[in-house]
Amino acid sequence: MPSILFVCTANQFRSPIAAACLLKGIKQEDTERNWIVESAGTWTKDGLRVPGTALQIADRLGLDRLDRHRSRQINQKLLGNFDLIIVMEISHKEAIRSEFPSVYGRVYLLSEIVEDLFYDIPDPTNSEISTADIGHELYTLITKGKEKILHLAETLHKSKPPERGSETSRYP
């Protein structure tokens, strides 16, 4: 089953909202496709809750399950479980590709997939853009680019080499 991991810095706003947006879009389709969609952070502590502002924005966008979300930090094992890794900032892409070269060809910037442009989705903790506007931008990008995102994940999933002795294993 194809799998997508959204990654931001703290895994408390952008990546969990992006994952919830994509899951909402998948659920709205009448489809037989099964997906794994999760999120993580490049620089976070495991187990942190999303802040109240993220819950409010998620509620306004009609997203659910963010109240149960807990942050988690990326590592080789986690990244190896996903076909497509979608990041929010160019620096995330560069850092992951540098630190985890085995996932190099599976790391994409959200704006790169959806709009064929390279720009960051701002971090609400150090941006003058409101959290509501950032949440709305994520929702718009995911809604607009859902089919591109899913197609890329399916393509990567189908092209992954099987591990020795297993036809259905994950990336190493």
Side-chain angles (χ1 to χ4, degrees):
M1 141 178 11
S3 56
I4 300 167
L5 181 69
F6 285 94
V7 176
C8 67
T9 304
N11 190 217
Q12 291 184 283
F13 188 87
R14 294 173 293 173
S15 59
I17 286 179
C21 287
L22 185 59
L23 284 169
K24 178 181 178 180
I26 291 170
K27 287 178 186 176
Q28 289 175 339
E29 285 185 1
D30 183 30
T31 181
E32 294 297 314
R33 296 186 287 190
N34 291 314
W35 292 91
I36 297 171
V37 180
E38 298 179 14
S39 68
T42 59
W43 190 257
T44 191
K45 290 172 57 176
D46 290 341
L48 301 175
R49 296 177 182 261
V50 297
T53 54
L55 292 174
Q56 292 169 354
I57 290 164
D59 187 50
R60 280 188 234 140
L61 295 171
L63 307 175
D64 54 350
R65 299 187 58 161
L66 278 179
D67 58 331
R68 292 183 259 162
H69 173 78
R70 299 297 179 268
S71 64
R72 63 184 170 167
Q73 187 168 12
I74 61 169
N75 59 50
Q76 181 67 49
K77 183 177 178 182
L78 177 66
L79 294 173
N81 287 331
F82 290 89
D83 299 308
L84 174 60
I85 301 158
I86 302 175
V87 298
M88 302 295 137
E89 298 178 24
I90 294 167
S91 63
H92 295 145
K93 182 176 178 177
E94 293 168 350
I96 291 171
R97 284 177 154 188
S98 176
E99 188 170 345
F100 306 100
S102 66
V103 300
Y104 188 93
R106 295 184 278 137
V107 182
Y108 290 83
L109 195 60
L110 178 59
S111 61
E112 171 186 8
I113 298 170
V114 176
E115 298 188 333
D116 294 321
L117 298 171
F118 293 82
Y119 64 87
D120 294 345
I121 305 301
D123 187 333
T125 61
N126 59 10
S127 175
E128 293 181 11
I129 300 171
S130 75
T131 54
D133 287 344
I134 294 169
H136 182 69
E137 180 179 6
L138 285 166
Y139 186 84
T140 300
L141 281 170
I142 300 293
T143 302
K144 176 181 174 183
K146 179 183 71 170
E147 288 308 317
K148 287 181 179 180
I149 293 167
L150 297 180
H151 177 73
L152 179 56
E154 285 179 323
T155 300
L156 291 168
H157 180 73
K158 289 175 185 173
S159 69
K160 70 181 175 186
E163 268 185 53
R164 282 185 219 136
S166 172
E167 293 298 316
T168 60
S169 63
R170 293 282 193 195
Y171 286 96

